[in-house]
Amino acid sequence: MTINKIYSSPADAVADVPDGSSVSIAGFGMTHSFPTSLTVALREQGARELCIVANSLGAGPYRSNTLIENRQVNRLIVSFSARAGAGVSAAEEQIAAGLIDVELVPQGTLVERLRAGGAGIGAFFTRTGVGTAIAEGKEVRTIDGVDHVLEQGLKVDYALIKADRADRFGNLEFGGVGRNFMPSFAKAAKIAIAEVDEIVDGEIDPERVGLPGIFVARVCKSTVDVPHDHLTPKAGRGASSSRTYHGKPAWTREQMAEVAASLVPEPSYMNLGLGIPGLISNYIEGRDITLHSENGVLGYGTIADKENYDPSVYNASGHYVHVNPGASFFESVTSFEMVRGGKVDVVALGAFQVDAKASLANWSTPDMVGGGIGGAMDLVAGDATVMVLMTHLDAAGNAKLVKECDYPLTGQSCVDIVVTDLAVLRWDGTRFKVERIAPGFTPAEVVELTELDLDVSAVS
């Protein structure tokens, strides 16, 4: 019998999804790599009481959030259920109303749970999430002197994924960072359904297969043409603007990024988080610093402008970027192996709070329903130098360098360097020591605007 996994349409491919199914839906950020045609088809098919497993829910009428708006979902297992400053979504409204149960999972743990489920591995121990709300109620075991949290393998009934092309055998080929979550999501599913831009006549060259057809049950061609915008990097109030303290301008976000870049040793592999850290890529050209992104690229460079970009190459912030010589693409499981395995030297993240014990809070605030863990918990659980970039005070004028975090923790005692718009601080093992201050400001002013105790002896 000749193998032929091609379905006539996305609607045919999802026609048998019953009520109560668990469905993993791939996609990165708000708009990238989502199986939009399959998602729209599932919305129109109308299956209810679905458990959606996803990194993020996306935006607009073509992505996972459309199923929530259509009241088809009663459970979420996700890395992002909300995003700070994005307004209240349908997911947040229904979670708050008790209509949807939500389980938040760090991004690296999510793909590893799916990979484990697909590989027949029941559970595993990870350093990610130790000492945070994610570890509550789970077994913690000390291995080689380090605490680890027990996480369960995860299987799903269906997976909806996206690829560039497929053949009738179900073999898939990906472009750029497009493979990110696809392999792990597909492997964990009883029935993996792939939406592709092209179905080749014949077969894909074995050397180009990114996911073997044994993991893919159904293939269909994309039918929904979704426009994509060229995202402009945003860093709070604007990359070139600055806040004022005591009537004087602090460093701009661009200047903060430039200062942070100057602190990175060479050679280094470095991961850049969302927001201000993403601007660092514009200040390392010509230096022996290789940028790593958890969505599956090593060796990217500057932000690409609207006239010259590849829509298949974007960073963790969702911004299109150029790639440098020696760059490589890979799936998210491999990406987090690099992080947790100690191959990444420096991690730069944004934050809501950093406290006197060098602990970090950056995924949820009291006004959010749920939150957005993303890959941050995995990034701080490795052996990398953790650098935080944030404004010195929040929008309401409250200290972000506090005695003790009262927002949910991302990681305990994990921060090594903090770059604010007023100062550079380095952890010395007992407290933060100020190394540099923005022009026009004094140590006394920095201390006044900081809740935790600082050592300013080096700049006094």
Side-chain angles (χ1 to χ4, degrees), residues 9 12 112 120 184 198 202 210 217 221 247 261 370 444:
S9 68
D12 285 344
E112 192 67 20
S184 61
E198 177 189 356
K221 194 169 181 181

Side-chain angles (χ1 to χ4, degrees), residues 341-405:
K343 307 303 182 184
V344 175
D345 302 300
V346 182
V347 168
L349 297 169
F352 299 135
Q353 293 178 329
V354 173
D355 72 16
K357 295 179 181 178
S359 295
L360 167 68
N362 80 342
W363 66 271
S364 187
T365 63
D367 59 344
M368 294 171 66
V369 179
I373 293 174
M377 284 191 184
D378 302 277
L379 291 166
V380 303
D383 296 319
T385 295
V386 175
M387 179 188 299
V388 169
L389 284 79
M390 63 182 186
T391 56
H392 210 84
L393 304 181
D394 67 18
N398 301 309
K400 299 179 77 171
L401 289 160
V402 296
K403 293 180 180 177
E404 185 174 1
C405 291

Side-chain angles (χ1 to χ4, degrees), residues 65-408:
N65 196 55
T66 192
L67 302 174
I68 295 171
E69 292 174 339
N70 202 37
R71 299 297 179 103
Q72 292 175 250
V73 179
N74 66 5
R75 180 164 168 74
L76 292 172
I77 302 175
V78 293
S79 295
F80 290 89
S81 66
R83 292 174 184 265
V88 179
S89 68
E92 290 173 271
E93 290 176 347
Q94 292 181 41
I95 292 167
L99 301 175
I100 294 179
D101 293 328
V102 62
E103 178 184 354
L104 288 170
V105 186
Q107 192 177 110
T109 299
L110 179 66
V111 293
E112 192 67 20
R113 287 181 64 189
L114 289 160
R115 187 203 67 80
I121 297 172
F124 59 90
F125 283 98
T126 176
R127 294 159 64 180
T128 300
V130 171
T132 74
I134 297 304
E136 291 178 3
K138 299 175 183 176
E139 180 184 348
V140 176
R141 184 177 299 182
T142 302
I143 303 172
D144 292 333
V146 179
D147 285 348
H148 290 66
V149 179
L150 181 67
E151 294 284 359
Q152 303 293 320
L154 180 60
K155 299 179 182 180
V156 295
D157 299 317
Y158 294 84
L160 309 184
I161 64 173
K162 177 79 168 64
D164 282 17
R165 56 190 57 85
D167 59 24
R168 64 183 177 85
F169 301 96
N171 295 315
L172 302 183
E173 183 179 348
F174 303 97
V177 298
R179 72 201 67 199
N180 49 65
F181 302 110
M182 311 305 163
S184 61
F185 277 42
K187 291 174 183 179
K190 294 177 183 176
I191 298 174
I193 310 172
E195 166 186 335
V196 298
D197 297 323
E198 177 189 356
I199 297 176
V200 304
D201 184 15
E203 59 277 334
I204 295 173
D205 183 337
E207 297 283 357
R208 300 173 67 93
V209 172
L211 183 66
I214 194 170
F215 295 113
V216 181
R218 304 171 186 175
V219 172
C220 64
K221 194 169 181 181
S222 298
T223 56
V224 175
D225 185 17
V226 182
H228 67 270
D229 297 326
H230 182 278
L231 300 177
T232 301
K234 296 180 181 179
R237 296 162 42 144
S240 60
S241 67
S242 64
R243 301 180 68 174
T244 59
Y245 302 94
H246 296 165
K248 297 177 288 188
W251 280 322
T252 66
R253 277 101 172 124
E254 289 174 334
Q255 289 171 324
M256 291 170 61
E258 186 174 11
V259 169
S262 72
L263 302 174
V264 181
E266 299 180 58
S268 285
Y269 289 105
M270 184 178 190
N271 179 283
L272 304 181
L274 307 184
I276 303 172
L279 299 172
I280 291 175
S281 65
N282 289 328
Y283 297 98
I284 61 171
E285 189 172 1
R287 298 185 62 200
D288 194 2
I289 299 172
T290 303
L291 295 182
H292 165 277
S293 185
E294 57 264 38
N295 58 310
V297 57
L298 185 68
Y300 74 91
T302 55
I303 304 294
D305 58 38
K306 194 171 184 178
E307 288 68 41
N308 180 25
Y309 74 98
D310 181 342
S312 72
V313 183
Y314 48 89
N315 63 16
S317 296
H319 302 132
Y320 299 111
V321 292
H322 298 297
V323 293
N324 294 330
S328 57
F329 301 117
F330 36 84
E331 65 160 312
S332 294
V333 169
T334 301
S335 186
F336 284 103
E337 288 173 344
M338 297 174 184
V339 172
R340 292 190 305 267
K343 307 303 182 184
V344 175
D345 302 300
V346 182
V347 168
L349 297 169
F352 299 135
Q353 293 178 329
V354 173
D355 72 16
K357 295 179 181 178
S359 295
L360 167 68
N362 80 342
W363 66 271
S364 187
T365 63
D367 59 344
M368 294 171 66
V369 179
I373 293 174
M377 284 191 184
D378 302 277
L379 291 166
V380 303
D383 296 319
T385 295
V386 175
M387 179 188 299
V388 169
L389 284 79
M390 63 182 186
T391 56
H392 210 84
L393 304 181
D394 67 18
N398 301 309
K400 299 179 77 171
L401 289 160
V402 296
K403 293 180 180 177
E404 185 174 1
C405 291
D406 52 15
Y407 292 178

Side-chain angles (χ1 to χ4, degrees), residues 32-56:
H32 294 293
S33 303
F34 283 84
T36 52
S37 301
L38 287 169
T39 305
V40 169
L42 184 58
R43 180 190 66 199
E44 294 174 350
Q45 189 256 33
R48 301 279 167 177
E49 298 182 351
L50 300 175
C51 171
I52 299 301
V53 179
N55 173 57
S56 58

